[in-house]
Amino acid sequence: MWPAPDVRAAALVCVLAATVAAQQTETFVAPDGTTFVLAPDPAMPLVHWAVATLVLDPPRYAGLSLATMRSSLAGTWTAGSVDADRERAALDEQDRAWRAWAAAPGDASLLAQLVDRTQKAEGLGDRAAFRRVLAALPVHRPEIVDRYPASVVVLSTVAEAIADVGRALVDRREHVALRNLHVVWPEIVVERGLAQLGDPATRVRAEVLALAMPDHPFGRMLDVPETAMPPRDLAFATWQTTQRPERTVHALVGAFDPEAVKATLQQTFEATALPPSEAPPPVVPRPVTSLRRSVVTGLPKPMVAIAFVLPPDLDRTLLTVTAHWLARGPESCLGQDLLRKGRKTAKVRVEAPWPPTRNAAGMLLVEVEDEAGVDKLADLVLQACRQVAVAEPTASALAAVIAAEQRERTATANDPRAIAEALALDRLLFPKAPVTPFERVDPKAVLRVATRIVSTQPIIVEGRP
Amino acid sequence: MNARRLAGAAATLIAASCSGGPRPEPPPPPVQAPAPEPAAPAPLAVEHGKVTRLDNGLTLFVTAAPGSGDAQVQMTFRIGALAPQPGLAEFALEALCAGADASLGRSSLERTVADLGGIVRTDVGANTAWIGIRVPAARWQDAQAALLAALVAPAQPRGQLERIRDRMIEDRCAAVTARPAANIVRARLLGRPDTAAWIAALLDRDPSEVGLFQSRAFRPENAVCALQVPGDPAAAAAAISRPGAGGLARWSPPAIAAPAEVLRAAPVAASETLWVPGPGPCTASFVLPVAEERGIDAATTRMLQACLTLDGTGGRLERLLAERGLGHLQWSSEVVRTADRLAVVLTTNATPPEAARLREVFTIARDSLRDVPPSASEIALAMRRARLTASLGQLDELSRLREQAMAGTSGANVAESPPARPGSADFDRAVTAFASAPSTLVVVGGTIPSDAKDVRKTDLLPPGMRIAAVEAASPATNESTPWLDRAADAIGGASLLRRFDGFEAKGRLQSEGAPPVEETASWRTNGTLRRVRDVLGKEIETKLLGNTWTESLGAETRQLSASDAAALRREYDRHPLALLAAHTKNTLRFRPVAQRTVGDRDLMILQAEGDRFDRLRIHVDAGSHLIRVVEVWETMADGSTVHLQDAWSDYRTVDGLRVPFRRVTTQDEGQNRVELVWSRWQPLLTRPAAK
């Protein structure tokens, strides 16, 4: 299921930072440019492997990176093809049949041709072959996880199979066939559509982004999904761009000899034939200098969203703790203040940085939902944020926030697959961002960060019925 | 956004992707020379803990915490779901963790551990009940103290127990609704026939039963405490053992005269297809119990399971499914576990008739391993898989410590045996047991076919409980029409706009770093365009006429591609008058996005529906109702897609229509700024309709 609009970036940032800080790891770069993070633990019976790559969707086809990731498990030209040349040609014919039918969807003969081409292509490829290969290595539960702005392959295996799994992953990267893209893409479209329908805050968030960063690719994620089938050549181009080794991080956690595994991986990840390409730089919000305020109508539950552009280069732990103290849940400063002012039905949540992004540039997004209505609510929230940023958090308040964030880390650290995922994502998304251990978070620093954030001009969006 | 339209589009796409065509057969297992005798796999790394028995009867298992920074404190009681009163072990365990005493200032175990920055997990198996606590390493003694406080706490008041039970039922119902197949499997691992019975067991429990159960079952002599702590395990064990130290050695409940609990016999599971009918798609799940023991029978069973299927792919099962026309089904696997049992669940989406046939195919595939023993190559593949399968019970850290503690304190054999060879008595015994074990298929959704065999219809929830429908957010109910009507009125009125047929104009194009360009254009709403641009004395003429698209410079003419022509047409189609005219003619619809205030301007943002444009939005000034901005995503000649924004200004009245005489186009974040200022702009109108 597509979780993209609900990624809790703050939790991700905190969990990543804290989990990574607690692991003893070794990092190296293979000859082809792939980064590896090894976290050996001799007590673990299995090896858990995560491969993180960026989401780099073409603007019209938001979700295509994820679609190619899911389709990659349907095999390669070497694993799953009856005859690679014939299958490639058949899939290209199928693609042309899609274009023709999309241009004239009422034409029954074009539809019949599409069905015929699809059947022909499906007869030349075995979608289960790659999974069969993996299962035999052995690999347990290979899955694609959506962690926008990244996607992650996660799997579990045994130490003896690391070399074979590595070769399978290289084969996937270099020779992916995308043979079931025509099935995966509609699934993603429907998932996204249903997720948007199920989350009324999507439209409010889309408007916040339109006001602050109209060209941010996450805006396309919040928009109505494109139903037209993406062309195969565009899908391959997207795959090749997302899978470039210099933008890929593998993390292995478990019982293995790190030196032996390093030697094996350096031998396996030797070179790539993917064409060189540059990733677009992350979109950075510009400071808001004038009033930007919107009303979005038609929401079932009234809500207000207020976003502040974050200062650059904030420490991730500090940002997470500050956001949590300021506005996460009923125990936060904002939650308590609204309660004192009679807004008993207000529910407060916060995300920072938002939207989910590389290098933590973005905004602090506060959302308050209140079935009693949003009249004057935005001003109340703004006032509360600014009043809060006057006195530093008390020791007990800070301890409660840190305990809550540590709980999330502890829950993640219980699951070695989640640790592998966190290590890979951290390295990919925040290669240089500083991290303060929780124990050293200083209340004065929290106040300084809070003040810097809430003293800027916000973006305000009200969602009304 | 119309969900029905989306679903319809997707259904069309998926239906067109017909899966009825012939598929390649899965390859047969590779034929190889007979494999050598399978060697015993390397023994699993087993953490050797310090085992101590305290004076109060509690068994301690202490190991060193790894470098991840966390410690664990676990308690396993030797009683579980097979306790005489179904559901009572779970209720009592939850009461232990969630119970608090405000009068004594004692928070619940869950709350106390949360305040330490840790988590509490509980689980009940058929024969065990387990609490697992994970905290930052430095807080393990606080966690131990919190656990002790919960164990020695006095009986909880009825009201509190009722709340705890009600919360458990609510959580259980939510879990069953969210993941029905996994929870049905879980209920069966606990000896319940289905989730309805599993939840009903809780409903049947009275809070008065909890205190007595806890006093009988949750006793140190009936428990194993596993700790993973920083430092030397022996020193930690010694510290805990001292009664005066405040640790678990102080746990000494009073002796009881009541007889020990007599466990119910584990119900014999039937071979059946369990079906929860319902609307929507149908999922079917095979349940593959995993033998976690280390002896030869368990090793052989794991090997046979891997010969049957490798995580839902390969093996005898896939071949047989392909032979029976079910090879197109794709399987996903997940592990479902209780405190003392484990199962791999393979799930697929299928039609009801397909689902009705699956268990028969499964049984035949499984029986084939008895009738045709695995080949050497099948065994080689299975052996690689079986080692992984044996470790599935230790996928997370809490489970790993639990398993090691139970093995370490029970004296169980931790050395892994190789599986039996086909033809041996051990193999015959194991495969006979494997083939005759009950097989369960769980189907959720769809209608049970009338000819389906051995199907037991069941419900997810007990009678009288319903699953609440989830209400989706409704799309915007406010129409955009009033705003467009106002915009149309501001431009000159709907009746005039309906007659709008194009324009002729002359203007000057300017962009930084480039010479100015004089332009004359004649455009019609049917897409006909003639445009002449004078660049440094050279004239470039562009013509779009029907299906003829050309660009000429002097005597040289080149054909424009279809995409170039379409892009040009879209440039003119997004002129404010063209957009409003299309709205008045009902050929273009808009939906509201937001009402915005930017600086001192109030704007209404509307987005065009349909696929004529890629996310075209108009910004209508809330005061003047003029269109100030048109933004859109466009694909350029080089294939790149950019965000274009046209800012329209300098509105003047021409022939009754208010017309913008200035357009500034920017790309992405204000790049490539191009200004077009018209010196003449003449709308073309069709004749008014005869009255």
Side-chain angles (χ1 to χ4, degrees):
Chain A
M1 198 61 192
W2 179 281
D6 295 328
V7 165
R8 194 188 150 229
L12 182 66
V13 165
C14 163
V15 162
L16 292 181
T19 303
V20 164
Q23 291 295 125
Q24 290 170 7
T25 61
E26 180 188 342
T27 303
F28 67 93
V29 178
D32 69 359
T34 306
T35 300
F36 285 89
V37 181
L38 303 184
D41 183 345
M44 267 189 219
L46 297 177
V47 175
H48 305 282
W49 196 324
V51 184
T53 51
L54 290 175
V55 169
L56 295 169
D57 292 332
R60 188 176 168 195
Y61 295 101
L64 187 54
S65 300
L66 182 67
T68 59
M69 287 284 279
R70 287 194 191 168
S71 183
S72 72
L73 293 185
T76 68
W77 300 120
T78 49
S81 202
V82 171
D83 179 327
D85 289 337
R86 283 175 56 210
E87 189 190 9
R88 214 186 295 258
L91 286 166
D92 288 341
E93 275 185 34
Q94 182 205 32
D95 187 51
R96 283 192 285 276
W98 270 112
R99 315 273 131 249
W101 177 65
D107 189 328
S109 66
L110 288 176
L111 179 59
Q113 185 180 73
L114 173 58
V115 170
D116 175 67
R117 299 280 186 272
T118 302
Q119 287 180 334
K120 185 178 163 194
E122 287 180 351
L124 291 167
D126 179 4
R127 292 183 215 166
F130 190 67
R131 282 188 185 266
R132 204 180 297 121
V133 163
L134 291 177
L137 290 181
V139 161
H140 169 67
R141 217 179 111 218
E143 58 176 352
I144 306 294
V145 183
D146 177 25
R147 294 280 182 252
Y148 190 92
S151 303
V152 192
V153 181
V154 190
L155 54 88
S156 303
T157 186
V158 294
E160 309 85 82
I162 286 177
D164 290 333
V165 174
R167 280 191 283 274
L169 290 172
V170 170
D171 181 41
R172 169 184 166 265
R173 181 183 77 191
E174 302 289 323
H175 304 119
V176 76
L178 301 182
R179 55 176 55 97
N180 69 340
L181 189 68
H182 59 289
V183 174
V184 169
W185 177 252
E187 287 174 351
I188 284 188
V189 167
V190 172
E191 281 174 18
R192 276 185 60 204
L194 291 175
Q196 286 177 7
L197 276 182
D199 183 6
T202 302
R203 293 178 54 219
V204 169
R205 293 192 190 121
E207 183 60 13
V208 170
L209 211 52
L211 287 172
M213 293 189 274
D215 296 317
H216 197 289
F218 193 63
R220 303 290 277 182
M221 290 294 186
L222 301 175
D223 208 353
V224 175
E226 169 64 62
T227 53
M229 186 67 64
R232 270 183 76 75
D233 54 0
L234 183 64
F236 274 108
T238 302
W239 171 262
Q240 289 164 351
T241 297
T242 58
Q243 302 301 307
R244 282 291 310 175
E246 62 273 16
R247 293 193 280 274
T248 303
V249 178
H250 292 236
L252 283 79
V253 175
F256 54 81
D257 173 356
E259 288 310 310
V261 164
K262 182 175 172 181
T264 298
L265 293 172
Q266 283 181 323
Q267 203 174 18
T268 307
F269 289 81
E270 204 179 15
T272 181
L274 296 182
S277 63
E278 297 291 325
V283 176
V284 176
R286 288 176 293 190
V288 176
T289 51
S290 61
L291 174 65
R292 290 190 209 176
R293 193 166 179 146
S294 266
V295 174
V296 176
T297 53
L299 265 65
K301 290 184 187 170
M303 65 172 287
V304 153
I306 295 184
F308 299 91
V309 173
L310 291 172
D313 301 324
L314 280 181
D315 178 272
R316 281 187 281 152
T317 309
L318 205 48
L319 173 61
T320 301
V321 170
T322 304
H324 188 144
W325 169 67
L326 196 60
R328 185 176 165 198
E331 302 299 321
S332 65
C333 298
L334 182 58
Q336 291 290 300
D337 193 74
L338 289 176
L339 201 60
R340 279 193 293 273
K341 286 172 179 159
R343 305 297 295 230
K344 295 186 175 54
T345 49
K347 291 180 189 164
V348 180
R349 52 180 184 258
V350 68
E351 284 194 38
W354 187 86
T357 187
R358 293 178 266 160
N359 298 325
M363 299 185 282
L364 181 133
L365 177 68
V366 175
E367 292 174 328
V368 181
E369 202 177 276
D370 193 348
E371 61 195 35
V374 294
D375 287 337
K376 298 193 173 69
L377 183 59
D379 297 322
L380 262 182
V381 171
L382 209 48
Q383 193 183 42
C385 287
R386 289 180 170 151
Q387 276 172 353
V388 145
V390 165
E392 64 195 49
T394 61
S396 59
L398 195 58
V401 167
I402 290 174
E405 295 294 344
Q406 275 183 326
R407 267 200 302 282
E408 299 224 11
R409 189 205 68 79
T410 304
T412 300
N414 182 50
D415 180 358
R417 275 170 77 109
I419 294 177
E421 201 187 309
L423 289 171
L425 283 171
D426 179 77
R427 181 72 194 190
L428 180 71
L429 299 178
F430 310 110
K432 295 171 191 158
V435 175
T436 301
F438 279 121
E439 307 79 60
R440 289 201 228 131
V441 170
D442 168 26
K444 289 187 172 50
V446 171
L447 179 61
R448 270 198 303 274
V449 166
T451 307
R452 273 178 85 188
I453 293 171
V454 302
S455 59
T456 60
Q457 176 85 20
I459 285 161
I460 302 171
V461 178
E462 291 179 354
R464 291 174 178 267
Chain B
M1 191 252 305
N2 187 322
R4 203 181 314 143
R5 176 168 172 266
L6 239 191
T12 305
L13 291 171
I14 293 168
S17 158
C18 172
S19 61
R23 293 189 168 274
E25 291 275 315
V31 175
Q32 295 174 0
E37 176 96 23
L44 294 174
V46 173
E47 196 143 346
H48 295 286
K50 170 78 179 159
V51 181
T52 312
R53 192 172 176 89
L54 304 185
D55 291 340
N56 60 5
L58 178 66
T59 304
L60 268 190
F61 178 86
V62 187
T63 68
S68 65
D70 287 342
Q72 295 190 50
V73 178
Q74 300 189 14
M75 191 72 74
T76 304
F77 302 100
R78 294 186 193 94
I79 188 154
L82 293 180
Q85 299 96 330
L88 186 52
E90 294 103 307
F91 189 8
L93 191 71
E94 187 68 21
L96 184 76
C97 296
D101 192 336
S103 64
L104 294 177
R106 182 182 76 84
S107 296
S108 67
L109 176 63
E110 286 171 349
R111 179 80 217 190
T112 307
V113 168
D115 289 342
L116 297 173
I119 56 171
V120 177
R121 296 280 183 268
T122 57
D123 208 352
V124 169
N127 299 302
T128 52
W130 168 84
I131 302 171
I133 300 170
R134 196 179 163 99
V135 288
R139 311 305 299 268
W140 75 267
Q141 285 173 326
D142 297 322
Q144 192 210 171
L147 180 57
L148 176 64
L151 288 166
V152 303
Q156 289 143 318
R158 186 180 182 86
Q160 189 176 113
L161 290 170
E162 281 174 350
R163 278 194 297 278
I164 291 171
R165 186 193 59 189
D166 291 346
R167 191 187 77 178
M168 283 181 76
I169 292 169
E170 208 177 295
D171 290 347
R172 221 168 250 199
C173 289
V176 160
T177 308
R179 295 174 65 220
N183 280 283
I184 291 173
V185 171
R186 195 179 157 71
R188 288 175 75 84
L189 290 177
L190 292 172
R192 311 305 305 155
D194 48 48
T195 50
W198 185 45
I199 296 171
L202 263 185
L203 284 167
D204 292 341
R205 298 279 62 80
D206 187 85
S208 63
E209 299 169 309
V210 169
L212 186 58
F213 180 89
Q214 287 177 334
S215 64
R216 285 180 185 171
F218 294 168
R219 303 183 64 80
E221 62 272 21
N222 197 36
V224 171
C225 177
L227 295 115
Q228 195 170 68
V229 296
D232 176 26
I240 296 166
S241 303
R242 289 196 297 273
L248 289 164
R250 285 181 51 203
W251 179 29
S252 287
I256 50 168
E261 297 287 355
V262 176
L263 299 182
R264 291 177 292 120
V268 176
S271 283
E272 60 184 356
T273 297
L274 205 57
W275 202 307
V276 181
C282 173
T283 64
S285 305
F286 283 124
V287 183
L288 304 174
V290 175
E292 295 183 86
E293 302 82 6
R294 299 278 174 252
I296 190 168
D297 285 346
T300 309
T301 301
R302 286 192 291 273
M303 183 195 73
L304 289 168
Q305 198 143 291
C307 291
L308 177 65
T309 181
L310 301 168
D311 212 23
T313 185
R316 301 269 178 112
L317 182 61
E318 187 180 20
R319 273 201 75 72
L320 207 58
L321 286 168
E323 283 172 18
R324 299 295 175 101
L326 297 170
H328 58 282
L329 298 178
Q330 303 272 302
W331 299 85
S332 60
S333 78
E334 68 176 307
V335 172
V336 173
R337 76 158 307 143
T338 64
D340 47 37
R341 291 241 196 104
L342 182 70
V344 170
V345 180
L346 304 179
T347 301
T348 187
N349 295 323
T351 63
E354 288 170 343
R357 295 167 52 207
L358 282 174
R359 198 163 62 80
E360 184 195 14
V361 175
F362 177 87
T363 305
I364 294 171
R366 194 182 58 175
D367 290 351
S368 74
L369 288 165
R370 178 193 55 209
D371 305 331
V372 181
S375 65
S377 56
E378 283 181 298
I379 290 175
L381 267 177
M383 287 294 293
R384 296 187 77 169
R385 183 87 207 166
R387 162 92 194 276
L388 185 151
T389 306
S391 301
L392 287 181
Q394 302 184 42
L395 281 178
D396 67 272
E397 296 296 298
L398 284 165
S399 299
R400 182 152 60 104
L401 179 61
R402 180 176 65 201
E403 292 231 343
Q404 289 177 341
M406 296 314 289
T409 56
S410 65
N413 178 18
V414 295
E416 187 156 342
S417 301
R421 291 201 67 180
S424 67
D426 288 331
F427 181 86
D428 290 342
R429 182 182 63 246
V431 77
T432 300
F434 180 72
S436 55
S439 65
T440 306
L441 181 75
V442 175
V443 183
V444 178
T447 307
I448 304 174
S450 54
D451 59 349
K453 294 181 198 156
D454 296 327
V455 172
R456 179 163 71 87
K457 178 175 173 295
T458 185
D459 293 313
L460 290 177
L461 302 178
M465 294 181 92
R466 286 188 310 112
I467 296 171
V470 174
E471 288 181 25
S474 55
T477 52
N478 284 18
E479 293 292 329
S480 60
T481 308
W483 282 98
L484 288 165
D485 289 345
R486 286 177 214 155
D489 286 343
I491 287 288
S495 56
L496 207 51
L497 276 169
R498 274 193 282 274
R499 292 170 53 202
F500 179 72
D501 194 35
F503 65 82
E504 289 177 350
K506 181 175 178 176
R508 170 177 275 216
L509 265 163
Q510 281 186 307
S511 61
E512 194 177 318
V517 174
E518 301 294 331
E519 172 183 298
T520 56
S522 172
W523 174 78
R524 298 288 189 278
T525 53
N526 64 3
T528 302
L529 170 70
R530 181 177 176 269
R531 184 180 73 185
V532 177
R533 284 184 168 176
D534 185 334
V535 185
L536 298 174
K538 301 268 195 276
E539 283 195 351
I540 302 168
E541 186 181 15
T542 306
K543 280 188 192 172
L544 304 179
L545 183 64
N547 289 333
T548 306
W549 319 307
T550 58
E551 194 168 74
S552 307
L553 174 62
E556 210 178 299
T557 299
R558 73 176 182 97
Q559 295 296 318
L560 293 173
S561 66
S563 56
D564 288 341
L568 259 176
R569 286 195 164 122
R570 283 195 299 272
E571 181 187 333
Y572 287 85
D573 283 345
R574 60 176 191 262
H575 190 285
L577 265 72
L579 293 173
L580 287 173
H583 159 70
T584 58
K585 295 173 193 171
N586 289 321
T587 56
L588 187 64
R589 291 170 58 88
F590 287 80
R591 61 174 175 86
V593 173
Q595 190 162 352
R596 245 179 232 177
T597 301
V598 179
D600 57 359
R601 242 185 187 159
D602 289 332
L603 301 161
M604 184 65 198
I605 316 298
L606 303 163
Q607 181 161 320
E609 294 184 333
D611 53 10
R612 202 165 137 195
F613 301 100
D614 186 0
R615 214 188 83 160
L616 182 141
R617 289 183 171 184
I618 59 175
H619 301 203
V620 179
D621 189 305
S624 63
H625 303 127
L626 295 170
I627 293 178
R628 294 292 181 197
V629 171
V630 177
E631 54 171 315
V632 74
W633 287 87
E634 264 298 339
T635 302
M636 308 307 277
D638 63 0
S640 61
T641 303
V642 298
H643 179 230
L644 293 177
Q645 189 159 279
D646 297 329
W648 298 89
S649 58
D650 191 13
Y651 276 82
R652 304 176 201 171
T653 303
V654 180
D655 287 356
L657 286 170
R658 291 200 72 192
V659 171
F661 271 68
R662 182 169 176 257
R663 183 189 79 193
V664 175
T665 301
T666 52
Q667 185 178 309
D668 290 334
E669 296 222 339
Q671 299 159 43
N672 295 345
R673 187 178 183 279
V674 176
E675 184 186 25
L676 175 52
V677 176
W678 284 278
S679 52
R680 185 177 71 84
W681 204 97
Q682 181 62 46
L684 302 172
L685 302 173
T686 56
R687 285 176 182 277
K691 288 188 186 168

